[in-house]
Amino acid sequence: MASTITSSQYIQHHLTNWTYGRHPDGHWGFAHSAEEVAEMGFWSIHVDSLLWSFSLGALFLFVFHRAARSMTAETPGGMQNFVEWVVDFINDNVRGSFSAKNDLIAPLALTVFVWVLLMNLMDLVPVDWIPWLAGQFGHFALGMDPHHVYFKIVPTTDLNITAGLAVAVFVLMIYYSVKIKGLGGFLGELSFQPFGKWGLPANLLLEGISLISKPVSLALRLFGNLYAGEMIFILIALLYSGGILWGTLGGFLQLGWAIFHILIILLQAFIFMVLTIVYLDMAHQHH
Amino acid sequence: MNIGLTLFGQTIAFIIFVAFCMKYVWPPIMTALDERKKKIADGLAEAERGFKQQELAERDAEHKISEAKQQAADILNQAQKRANEIVENAKSDATEEGNRIKEAAHAEVEKEVHRATEELRTRVSVIAVAGAERILKKEIDAGAHRDMLEELATQI
């Protein structure tokens, strides 16, 4: 692929989503290039991100629901064992970090962890495989130029996806803050700390920033880590077009980076979950 | 990379997934885990109880064994005593019996001696009378001299 296009085009191609949206002229349709995607602005849907995200979420729920349905208190086997292991792990974390009583938190943490982990795991699939398949499919089945078939498979390298999760967590934070402390209590917390009522503007500024920074950091941390990882995979993949020597080197590099990246994948999913729990715990606390 | 509708799609999916997880995934798993936890706890308590019972039974058994040993020793002692007693009794019986036999024999002997003496005495008196008859060459009235003869006989 890289032999017919330049490196920057190759990278650009890998970083562009398959997008459905409103063209500047007002009609809705798929974007055929990165420029068109950019022009769509807000009114765009990253079909590939959502497709993979929904599929992986559904896969998670399917597997866990099947295990949950056939759950017994007797000796667990195979899948049940694995599911129990994960659930126990989540439960321990929730108990360790969340002090209030809320039946939503544990399932929320489980969903966040497994879903994000699955989405991150897509990063380990060699960067060209599925996009190439999609390109071939687009070329032969739909008669498209394969260079115009965009197909990103790692949803968490899409800021929309990580921000989507963070927004949901943020809404929950606000909801529980207001529910537990009342609207007055919540606003009071924003206005009268840490400097008392005479420092109200400073308080509002500080607390407001600290409040907003929570979902922003949540979204950006996950996105940044995965995006950077993906980028390195893409750069390594560029080596494959440089002849057998560079290609071999690239193979080893990719293997090494993938092994190291497993750590990041797990860690980021874990951090996202723990921070979700902690933020919601803070929302439940009176200060 | 632009923020767009994708974000809301993801948020909605997230809410749905969490709701599903909360309703259909988490509770059954937790129920089963809790149930198993309870089962294990019960099993452990049961084992603990069994262990205690065994200990108790062991102690009981030990107690009984020592009691039995004591009893056996008592019985043995008693038997020993009884045996001694029997032996003693037998000994004294035997001695008594021996004495009796000895006495009887003694009496017999005495009786025999007495009879012999009596007989001897009568014979001696007869012989004496005959002797006297011969010496005196005349009849002696046995009736008249009986007293004298008898006196003589006793002197022998």
Side-chain angles (χ1 to χ4, degrees):
Chain A
M1 200 178 274
S3 56
T4 56
I5 57 173
T6 67
S7 296
S8 72
Q9 276 175 321
Y10 174 78
I11 293 170
Q12 181 76 53
H13 187 265
H14 266 290
L15 294 183
T16 306
N17 283 99
W18 178 23
T19 309
Y20 181 87
R22 198 179 66 174
H23 290 285
D25 60 12
H27 83 276
W28 289 72
F30 287 105
H32 297 292
S33 65
E35 290 74 36
E36 282 188 35
V37 173
E39 281 165 8
M40 283 175 179
F42 180 81
W43 299 104
S44 62
I45 297 170
H46 296 160
V47 183
D48 45 4
S49 294
L50 284 181
L51 185 70
W52 282 104
S53 155
F54 291 178
S55 310
L56 292 169
L59 175 72
F60 149 63
L61 287 177
F62 173 72
V63 169
F64 274 63
H65 182 232
R66 236 183 56 163
R69 249 195 346 212
S70 60
M71 205 73 183
T72 67
E74 307 303 321
T75 315
M79 208 56 213
Q80 189 187 335
N81 223 335
F82 172 73
V83 167
E84 274 182 22
W85 176 58
V86 175
V87 166
D88 243 359
F89 169 70
I90 304 291
N91 205 25
D92 281 351
N93 271 294
V94 171
R95 281 207 191 140
S97 317
F98 192 80
S99 46
K101 170 111 188 72
N102 191 334
D103 286 340
L104 170 70
I105 305 304
L108 176 78
L110 176 68
T111 310
V112 164
F113 179 69
V114 181
W115 195 14
V116 170
L117 181 64
L118 285 173
M119 290 194 285
N120 289 355
L121 273 175
M122 297 309 293
D123 213 0
L124 293 180
V125 179
V127 285
D128 276 325
W129 283 9
I130 293 173
W132 181 81
L133 273 179
Q136 294 304 305
F137 180 80
H139 182 53
F140 291 109
L142 306 173
M144 292 166 71
D145 182 353
H147 291 165
H148 289 167
V149 177
Y150 300 102
F151 205 61
K152 282 180 70 176
I153 63 165
V154 192
T156 37
T157 58
D158 185 341
L159 187 57
N160 284 288
I161 297 297
T162 60
L165 296 175
V167 163
V169 173
F170 186 60
V171 170
L172 282 175
M173 279 163 60
I174 304 286
Y175 171 73
Y176 280 115
S177 287
V178 173
K179 190 182 168 195
I180 303 287
K181 297 168 242 189
L183 190 59
F186 174 56
L187 291 179
E189 228 167 58
L190 286 182
S191 322
F192 300 128
Q193 284 178 358
F195 298 128
K197 60 180 174 180
W198 299 114
L200 194 137
N203 292 340
L204 215 50
L205 186 71
L206 282 174
E207 288 292 314
I209 288 173
S210 107
L211 185 68
I212 299 295
S213 73
K214 282 170 187 167
V216 170
S217 69
L218 207 53
L220 287 182
R221 181 183 301 106
L222 182 59
F223 164 72
N225 274 282
L226 270 291
Y227 189 80
E230 173 85 343
M231 195 59 144
I232 289 176
F233 275 125
I234 294 169
L235 293 177
I236 290 170
L238 271 176
L239 290 175
Y240 293 133
S241 58
I244 191 145
L245 204 66
W246 285 112
T248 313
L249 178 68
F252 280 114
L253 278 176
Q254 184 177 345
L255 183 67
W257 180 242
I259 291 170
F260 176 67
H261 205 53
I262 291 174
L263 185 71
I264 295 177
I265 282 167
L266 255 173
L267 200 65
Q268 288 307 319
F270 180 69
I271 289 174
F272 201 98
M273 175 197 77
V274 168
L275 285 180
T276 302
I277 298 171
V278 169
Y279 289 161
L280 285 172
D281 182 50
M282 285 160 82
H284 282 73
Q285 303 292 331
H286 292 272
H287 292 286
Chain B
M1 177 71 52
N2 39 29
I3 292 292
L5 293 176
T6 319
L7 191 156
F8 299 100
Q10 177 71 5
T11 305
I12 291 163
F14 184 51
I15 291 166
I16 293 168
F17 285 166
V18 169
F20 184 88
C21 182
M22 191 180 165
K23 203 159 167 54
Y24 298 110
V25 175
W26 190 265
I29 294 177
M30 267 352 251
T31 312
L33 285 183
D34 287 346
E35 200 178 312
R36 179 163 337 123
K37 226 174 262 171
K38 196 174 156 298
K39 240 181 198 176
I40 290 172
D42 285 356
L44 282 177
E46 199 76 14
E48 184 73 20
R49 203 158 51 227
F51 194 71
K52 243 178 215 153
Q53 246 161 17
Q54 192 208 0
E55 219 168 63
L56 229 74
E58 245 164 45
R59 215 178 300 152
D60 198 43
E62 244 167 55
H63 187 69
K64 273 195 176 134
I65 285 173
S66 72
E67 216 168 56
K69 266 187 191 159
Q70 185 62 45
Q71 238 167 25
D74 282 358
I75 288 171
L76 224 73
N77 271 348
Q78 244 167 19
Q80 195 85 38
K81 226 164 72 190
R82 183 93 186 96
N84 281 347
E85 234 171 63
I86 288 171
V87 169
E88 285 303 317
N89 280 353
K91 247 191 212 162
S92 66
D93 276 5
T95 320
E96 222 167 84
E97 182 73 10
N99 285 346
R100 229 180 52 225
I101 289 170
K102 228 161 72 187
E103 255 162 46
H106 240 84
E108 188 78 8
V109 168
E110 224 144 80
K111 218 163 79 190
E112 240 5 77
V113 169
H114 193 68
R115 222 182 56 215
T117 318
E118 275 310 304
E119 205 180 303
L120 206 58
R121 208 182 273 158
T122 39
R123 284 229 190 134
V124 166
S125 67
V126 170
I127 289 168
V129 170
E133 256 176 2
R134 270 191 209 161
I135 292 165
L136 296 176
K137 285 202 183 111
K138 66 172 185 179
E139 282 264 343
I140 292 170
D141 186 1
H145 298 94
R146 176 172 301 173
D147 289 344
M148 188 192 71
L149 284 174
E150 269 177 14
E151 200 196 317
L152 210 68
T154 45
Q155 277 172 7
I156 293 172

